[in-house]
Amino acid sequence: MTKTNPGNFFEDFTVGQVLEHATPRTVTEGDRALYGAIYPTRFAVPSSAEFAASVGLTRAPVEDLIAFHIAFGKTVPDVSLNAVANLGYAECRFHRPVVPGDTLRTRSEVIGLKQNSNGRTGVVYVRSTATNQRGEVALDWARWVMVHKRDAEAPAPETVVPDLASVVPPEELIVPDGLDFSAYDFAAAGEPHRWGDYEIGEKIDHVDGVTLTDPEHMLATRLWQNTAKVHFNVEARPDGTRLVYGGHVISMARALSFNGLANAQLIAAINAGAHVAPALAGDTIYAWSEVLDTAETTAPGVGALRLRLVATKGRDETTTLRGEDGKYAAGVLLDLDYWALVPQ
């Protein structure tokens, strides 16, 4: 009898199934340092304990996406070890900042299944929740992933596609306890732009680009204990390439967005996200953002911007997203819709 885990295939999932994911993971200052070594991030709140204290946070949190990647990585052995690709996200809310010393563990519930027409793969929808060592929710999200079938002849399950919200309502955004931007240090943060300086429909070209390499994306993916075969094993894909983890592209684009959105300090929610095309080593990533909405919060000096963050392979001078046919423009890798907290 084998003792190894081959991962779940599409026919192993049932709607309502609850998966308790193994290996709780303690966040350390090393995670902060490695994240900064991999991505060109410079946001002041996670970079400076002094700055974090000046805006009312008793401890400097790590980047929001560190918590996301760690929590996401826990789900891979049970949800997406046999994935073709991760397809999208919805209804992701960051409930509280994660600080070094916090231990995260994740559980998921299967909320939908849909076999593809080819009969060889299917889409699995899950809702995942990450809690800390006190049992408090750190973040939760829904995602859907295309997974191989073990047996193409296995009968298709009843199709269940969950109804997921297109946006987290601004009144449901969770502002960290004590956050106060009323005495915000714009000089230390790096840019003077306030919440009121951004207009709905405005597009911001983040200018800089970063070329992906295999060592960096594999290091990042191992850091989050993400074991998906397609990221490491050149025999896992027909073309013999390693697929770059979609979260690596998210973090790279988020880091690049500092240029123009340096004061978008904290991610409050991810409304939707789509990995439009695969990224591979050698691709050069650029990013641009569009302001989709603005909202006020009850926290002193804190506003929220709803932003569309787009990552492209190669530079997109026109900052276009879709062509006249409604299809994504060539070279678009990521389309991410999120709320960020900014000073008013």
Side-chain angles (χ1 to χ4, degrees):
M1 180 182 294
T2 181
K3 292 183 172 62
T4 56
N5 174 24
N8 289 317
F9 291 85
F10 180 70
E11 58 264 45
D12 296 323
F13 295 98
T14 57
V15 173
Q17 179 181 9
V18 175
L19 303 165
E20 298 285 352
H21 305 300
T23 319
R25 169 78 149 73
T26 300
V27 181
T28 71
E29 286 291 352
D31 291 305
R32 191 197 308 273
L34 272 172
Y35 191 91
I38 296 168
Y39 307 108
T41 183
R42 290 176 285 164
F43 294 100
V45 167
S47 294
S48 167
E50 181 180 0
F51 191 97
S54 75
V55 297
L57 301 178
T58 54
R59 295 185 63 191
V62 296
E63 295 265 357
D64 309 282
L65 291 173
I66 289 179
F68 177 80
H69 294 318
I70 288 174
F72 182 99
K74 301 294 96 186
T75 72
V76 169
D78 301 311
V79 175
S80 51
L81 194 64
N82 296 306
V84 180
N86 189 61
L87 299 177
Y89 313 92
E91 299 182 359
C92 176
R93 292 198 305 164
F94 293 82
H95 290 250
R96 51 185 36 82
V98 172
V99 300
D102 282 347
T103 298
L104 300 178
R105 65 185 307 158
T106 312
R107 72 195 301 266
S108 298
E109 179 182 356
V110 179
I111 58 175
L113 293 169
K114 182 180 185 297
Q115 181 166 301
N116 291 327
S117 58
N118 63 18
R120 298 189 298 272
T121 59
V123 178
V124 180
Y125 299 80
V126 297
R127 187 178 301 280
S128 301
T129 303
T131 54
N132 63 20
Q133 67 276 17
R134 295 179 293 277
E136 302 163 334
V137 175
L139 67 153
D140 58 0
W141 72 98
R143 73 157 168 145
W144 49 105
V145 57
M146 188 186 302
V147 179
H148 287 290
K149 291 183 70 175
R150 178 188 293 106
D151 177 7
E153 301 304 317
E158 178 185 356
T159 296
V160 177
V161 177
D163 183 17
L164 299 171
S166 61
V167 62
V168 176
E171 61 272 16
E172 294 184 11
L173 299 178
I174 301 170
V175 179
D177 290 342
L179 189 67
D180 182 347
F181 282 165
S182 56
Y184 189 91
D185 186 342
F186 287 90
E191 287 182 351
H193 313 304
R194 299 173 181 265
W195 175 78
D197 295 330
Y198 294 93
E199 297 182 358
I200 295 173
E202 178 180 359
K203 291 185 177 180
I204 303 160
D205 179 0
H206 301 306
V207 180
D208 302 311
V210 174
T211 301
L212 302 177
T213 69
D214 268 335
E216 71 177 5
H217 85 77
M218 289 191 294
L219 171 63
T221 310
R222 286 197 177 100
L223 181 62
W224 321 128
Q225 298 177 330
N226 181 330
T227 57
K229 302 169 187 176
V230 292
H231 305 317
F232 304 105
N233 185 348
V234 295
E235 297 179 354
R237 284 168 49 85
D239 62 2
T241 60
R242 301 178 185 91
L243 185 68
V244 173
Y245 164 46
H248 187 67
V249 178
I250 292 176
S251 277
M252 192 65 73
R254 163 70 174 162
L256 293 172
S257 75
F258 178 90
N259 188 359
L261 285 167
N263 296 317
Q265 289 289 351
L266 299 167
I267 299 175
I270 295 174
N271 300 305
H275 297 292
V276 177
L280 303 172
D283 291 345
T284 299
I285 305 298
Y286 291 87
W288 56 268
S289 293
E290 179 183 1
V291 180
L292 299 178
D293 201 358
T294 65
E296 298 191 46
T297 78
T298 57
V302 179
L305 292 179
R306 182 183 169 195
L307 300 164
R308 163 170 274 149
L309 175 61
V310 177
T312 62
K313 181 174 71 172
R315 187 145 170 75
D316 182 357
E317 298 285 358
T318 62
T319 60
T320 56
L321 184 61
R322 297 179 188 268
E324 293 182 0
D325 58 2
K327 295 181 180 179
Y328 280 99
V332 174
L333 297 173
L334 171 73
D335 180 10
L336 190 73
D337 177 338
Y338 71 105
W339 285 103
L341 301 180
V342 300
Q344 289 185 315

